[in-house]
Amino acid sequence: MFEIRKSEDRGHANHGWLDSHHTFSFADYYDEKHMGFGPLRVINEDRVHAGQGFGTHGHRDMEIISYVLEGELAHKDSMGTGSVIRPGDVQRMSAGSGVRHSEFNHSKDQTTHFLQIWIQPNVNGIPPSYEEKHFSTEEKRGRLRLIASEDGADGSVLIHQDAKLYVGLFDAAETAELTLAKGRRALIHVARGSVSVNGVALKTGDALKVTDEQSLKISDGQQAEVLVFDLV
């Protein structure tokens, strides 16, 4: 079964310095029909203007993944971690028992465009931790590259939940397939471009919820960058 969450139906908040679209209920945007999907709680598409950012704030018991599409994002946290992530970088912060951090775009003229993803963990109160890895364009071209998983398989970042996150780049004749175990569900988010999933056409910002399917086939990509979540 397939359910499309259209890009234009997402929640939207423009704070001047931040333009954000919410696939699921977040902050002042609330829709009881869109509270998450399995343990996947947040997909925010954020554009942070030059010289702006998120001030220091706290999180608890959440797996937070940042994936940069354009520009750079500086990160500092109460664990002493400081870094700058760029396109191709995947940042994972397990908030656990509590962490404070800030995120900032230090560019003088370029907007930072990134996805912020929250996944509810299957364990609470653990010590907070941070991890960052880079995945090249070549690794994602015409295939689904595992970038986050419960066991850190294939060099992916480790998350505290029975979930897997893949990213792929698809154009023209490039295709990929993913088999889903019985009882699993999936969500496909199109970060940019357009693509078909099992014949369902999707465009930038669309999400497709998938239940009771054994496999996914991604095809007909047009400069597409796609995130695929394999979820309990």
Side-chain angles (χ1 to χ4, degrees), residues 2 9 14 80 106 119 157 172 184 204 216 218-219:
F2 302 99
D9 294 334
N14 192 334
H106 288 291
I119 296 175
V157 300
R184 305 285 291 185
T204 303
L216 303 174
I218 298 174
S219 61

Side-chain angles (χ1 to χ4, degrees), residues 35-77:
M35 297 299 296
F37 191 59
L40 179 59
R41 182 62 187 83
V42 168
I43 302 177
N44 286 348
E45 180 184 2
D46 291 342
R47 288 178 170 86
V48 180
H49 290 189
Q52 301 290 333
F54 301 87
T56 302
H57 58 283
H59 296 281
R60 291 180 63 91
D61 293 325
M62 192 66 70
E63 302 294 297
I64 300 172
I65 298 170
S66 297
Y67 184 80
V68 178
L69 297 166
E70 296 176 348
E72 299 181 350
L73 189 68
H75 165 94
K76 289 185 179 180
D77 62 44

Side-chain angles (χ1 to χ4, degrees), residues 11 14 17 24-25 49 81 87 107 112 116 134 149 168 197 201 209 230:
N14 192 334
W17 64 273
F24 303 114
S25 295
H49 290 189
T81 305
S107 172
T112 296
Q116 185 170 126
H134 180 80
S149 66
V197 178
K209 297 178 181 179
D230 180 343

Side-chain angles (χ1 to χ4, degrees), residues 25-186:
S25 295
F26 184 84
D28 293 333
Y29 168 66
Y30 176 78
D31 185 337
E32 62 181 7
K33 296 180 181 179
H34 299 284
M35 297 299 296
F37 191 59
L40 179 59
R41 182 62 187 83
V42 168
I43 302 177
N44 286 348
E45 180 184 2
D46 291 342
R47 288 178 170 86
V48 180
H49 290 189
Q52 301 290 333
F54 301 87
T56 302
H57 58 283
H59 296 281
R60 291 180 63 91
D61 293 325
M62 192 66 70
E63 302 294 297
I64 300 172
I65 298 170
S66 297
Y67 184 80
V68 178
L69 297 166
E70 296 176 348
E72 299 181 350
L73 189 68
H75 165 94
K76 289 185 179 180
D77 62 44
S78 55
M79 296 176 284
T81 305
S83 67
V84 177
I85 58 172
R86 301 172 175 86
D89 292 341
V90 176
Q91 177 192 90
R92 182 272 301 169
M93 187 175 71
S94 297
S97 58
V99 67
R100 294 179 61 80
H101 78 138
S102 63
E103 298 160 295
F104 204 83
N105 174 12
H106 288 291
S107 172
K108 295 180 180 179
D109 54 14
Q110 186 176 9
T111 296
T112 296
H113 181 197
F114 78 108
L115 297 176
Q116 185 170 126
I117 297 156
W118 293 10
I119 296 175
Q120 293 175 322
N122 54 16
V123 59
N124 291 334
I126 61 174
S129 60
Y130 177 93
E131 187 178 11
E132 176 188 326
K133 291 190 176 181
H134 180 80
F135 299 91
S136 68
T137 296
E138 291 72 23
E139 292 179 83
K140 297 176 284 188
R141 171 56 59 195
R143 63 187 291 258
L144 291 173
R145 175 61 164 99
L146 183 66
I147 65 168
S149 66
E150 189 177 28
D151 57 2
D154 298 329
S156 59
V157 300
L158 187 147
I159 54 175
H160 299 87
Q161 180 54 267
D162 181 8
K164 294 179 180 179
L165 171 56
Y166 301 85
V167 175
L169 303 172
F170 300 94
D171 204 17
E174 296 170 334
T175 65
E177 296 191 34
L178 180 67
T179 299
L180 298 175
K182 186 177 181 180
R184 305 285 291 185
R185 68 186 99 183

